Amino acid sequence: MTKEKVLFAGCLVTYRFPEYELSSKVVLEALSIETHTLPELVCCGQVLQGVNPNWIYMTAYNLALMEQRDMDIITLCGGCTNTFKRVQSMCSQNPQVLDDINQVLNRVGLQFNNTVKTQHLLEVLNENTDKIMACLKKVIPLKTAIMNPCQVFRPAAVMNFDDSKHPQVMGKLLGPAVTDIIPYSFQDNCCGASLSMSNLAAAYQVGRARLEELEHKDVDLIVTACGNCHLLLHGMQSEYYSGRRIPCMFLPQLLGIAIGLSPQDVMINDPHLRSLVTSV
Amino acid sequence: MFESCLKCAICYENCYLEQMGVTSFIRLPLQEDATNIWTCSNCWTCQDICPVGIPLMELKWQLQRKVEAPPSYGASLENILICGYCLPIDSDELNPFRLDDGLEPVTLASSNIIATLLQTK
């Protein structure tokens, strides 16, 4: 039997990008996949890896809470996906890690058996490609560039999804939904957003290089599938880029429009973005 | 720490930051220079491509934990200890907007739970 799903939004999407959470939820609903939010979830632990050695217990706490409700997990950011899958892999490979985790989780009344399944939104959509293609209502006339969420694909041995060096899934999902997907040289490179916490100039440099190339290629829209990529390329764009503004949209927002949902349904509130997707 | 490193530099050559002229943490295995230990965006390319399987990311995090973190990381930890999230999420403030948007409300974990998880060792 298919388990119920938790849509794990994590810190950044919960705080800043409700449109990503909502559009994911409604697109999944259109595919007959119901998702829920759970009480008392916390940060996935990604940001603490270089700061606090006990980050792993936060990751495991989330996993255990979701396992306790017998629910599987759909993540939205690369970082959350990466930490969840890596901790699960560590537990599978070394029972001592699982024992150690359970000693700590027992103190907060939880136990983890490592039976929960974690998938990023792209993996779930990928499994439902045929259903999505059958639902397509229109081809959106946009020159679109893809921003791959790198931590969904690497490390390859743990993430075990798609081509880890040259991910294909976003192109596969969006190819039939838009008129043009524009390939570009930085397509397989990290967005650089995490650098904004430690080396802002480097984050800006990475963002600027991508935008310069995409402006040169006359791209209308960048499609993202991670809160961090979206933050640097969309939220912070005006802080470091003085060229033509290139907006970003989350993949389920654009896919939602292609399967016939309205801009309101997928929370496209920005008038410019709305005009881009409704000029069909 | 890098005893098995062949100094083949394939990690360095494939670091997208170094390709763009940004000096990154990947100088560490080659030059044992930890100056740029925080300049990395966790893309995992270096570790995936290492021919002898050095766990570069884990080694990086171990070294990061021995030095002072950039202020943003301290702020993230402070937020986590208060609300469970690395950003200052206030459920009373957020939930009316979530309900308006058609999203279920967020319920924060107690700070005792977070403290137990993070301060156990």
Side-chain angles (χ1 to χ4, degrees), chain B residues 90-112:
Chain B
D90 176 336
S91 53
D92 291 341
E93 205 173 281
L94 184 68
N95 282 335
F97 291 101
R98 287 182 63 86
L99 294 172
D100 255 9
D101 293 338
L103 292 166
E104 292 167 271
V106 165
T107 309
L108 302 182
S110 85
S111 52
N112 286 342

Side-chain angles (χ1 to χ4, degrees), chain B residues 7-15 30 46 49-51:
Chain B
K7 310 283 181 199
C8 68
I10 195 168
C11 55
Y12 168 82
E13 284 162 11
N14 281 276
C15 173
L30 296 173
C46 55
I49 212 162
C50 174

Side-chain angles (χ1 to χ4, degrees), chain A residues 3-24:
Chain A
K3 288 185 183 177
E4 285 193 50
K5 312 281 186 191
V6 178
L7 191 60
F8 185 89
C11 306
L12 183 55
V13 172
T14 302
Y15 188 69
R16 184 105 190 234
F17 299 123
E19 65 269 39
Y20 188 20
E21 187 179 349
L22 186 75
S23 59
S24 300

Side-chain angles (χ1 to χ4, degrees), chain B:
Chain B
M1 191 168 247
F2 297 102
E3 296 81 8
S4 55
C5 178
L6 304 174
K7 310 283 181 199
C8 68
I10 195 168
C11 55
Y12 168 82
E13 284 162 11
N14 281 276
C15 173
Y16 80 101
L17 291 171
E18 290 286 351
Q19 287 169 2
M20 297 178 75
V22 176
T23 304
S24 81
F25 108 95
I26 205 61
R27 301 275 174 116
L28 182 65
L30 296 173
Q31 302 172 352
E32 298 191 9
D33 172 7
T35 316
N36 299 292
I37 191 78
W38 292 92
T39 302
C40 170
S41 60
N42 303 324
C43 82
W44 290 86
T45 301
C46 55
Q47 180 164 324
D48 258 12
I49 212 162
C50 174
V52 288
I54 296 175
L56 286 159
M57 298 293 283
E58 181 54 39
L59 295 176
K60 177 195 76 175
W61 286 315
Q62 281 176 21
L63 287 170
Q64 285 179 344
R65 293 197 289 260
K66 289 181 183 165
V67 297
E68 195 180 341
S72 308
Y73 286 90
S76 295
L77 180 56
E78 275 178 35
N79 286 326
I80 286 170
L81 289 170
I82 293 167
C83 71
Y85 291 95
C86 69
L87 291 161
I89 289 175
D90 176 336
S91 53
D92 291 341
E93 205 173 281
L94 184 68
N95 282 335
F97 291 101
R98 287 182 63 86
L99 294 172
D100 255 9
D101 293 338
L103 292 166
E104 292 167 271
V106 165
T107 309
L108 302 182
S110 85
S111 52
N112 286 342
I113 288 181
I114 315 293
T116 305
L117 296 171
L118 285 183
Q119 297 167 1
T120 45
K121 275 185 182 170

Side-chain angles (χ1 to χ4, degrees), chain A residues 135-279:
Chain A
C135 294
L136 286 181
K137 300 280 191 301
K138 60 178 105 173
V139 180
I140 306 163
L142 284 175
K143 287 187 171 180
T144 308
I146 283 164
M147 178 65 243
N148 283 308
C150 54
Q151 293 199 81
V152 171
F153 309 101
R154 294 188 293 267
V158 175
M159 305 313 282
N160 195 25
F161 173 51
D162 204 355
D163 178 337
S164 66
K165 291 194 182 74
H166 311 290
Q168 303 295 311
V169 62
M170 289 182 76
K172 180 178 142 189
L173 290 168
L174 288 176
V178 297
T179 47
D180 298 286
I181 291 192
I182 309 294
Y184 64 106
S185 64
F186 291 130
Q187 188 164 313
D188 297 324
N189 284 1
C190 177
C191 67
S194 314
L195 291 167
S196 64
M197 292 186 71
S198 57
N199 187 337
L200 193 60
Y204 285 175
Q205 185 182 337
V206 175
R208 196 180 304 119
R210 186 180 306 268
L211 291 167
E212 276 169 0
E213 184 180 1
L214 295 182
E215 181 175 350
H216 181 69
K217 294 205 161 192
D218 209 20
V219 159
D220 299 311
L221 181 72
I222 303 168
V223 179
T224 58
C226 170
N228 281 291
C229 309
H230 202 87
L231 178 69
L232 181 75
L233 290 172
H234 188 86
M236 297 167 81
Q237 189 180 128
S238 60
E239 293 171 28
Y240 61 86
Y241 192 63
S242 54
R244 173 173 63 87
R245 179 159 180 88
I246 306 176
C248 298
M249 198 179 279
F250 290 103
L251 179 129
Q253 293 186 289
L254 191 59
L255 205 55
I257 296 295
I259 64 171
L261 298 172
S262 73
Q264 294 94 313
D265 292 335
V266 292
M267 226 174 145
I268 299 174
N269 296 331
D270 178 271
H272 176 61
L273 285 176
R274 211 175 257 220
S275 68
L276 277 180
V277 296
T278 50
S279 60

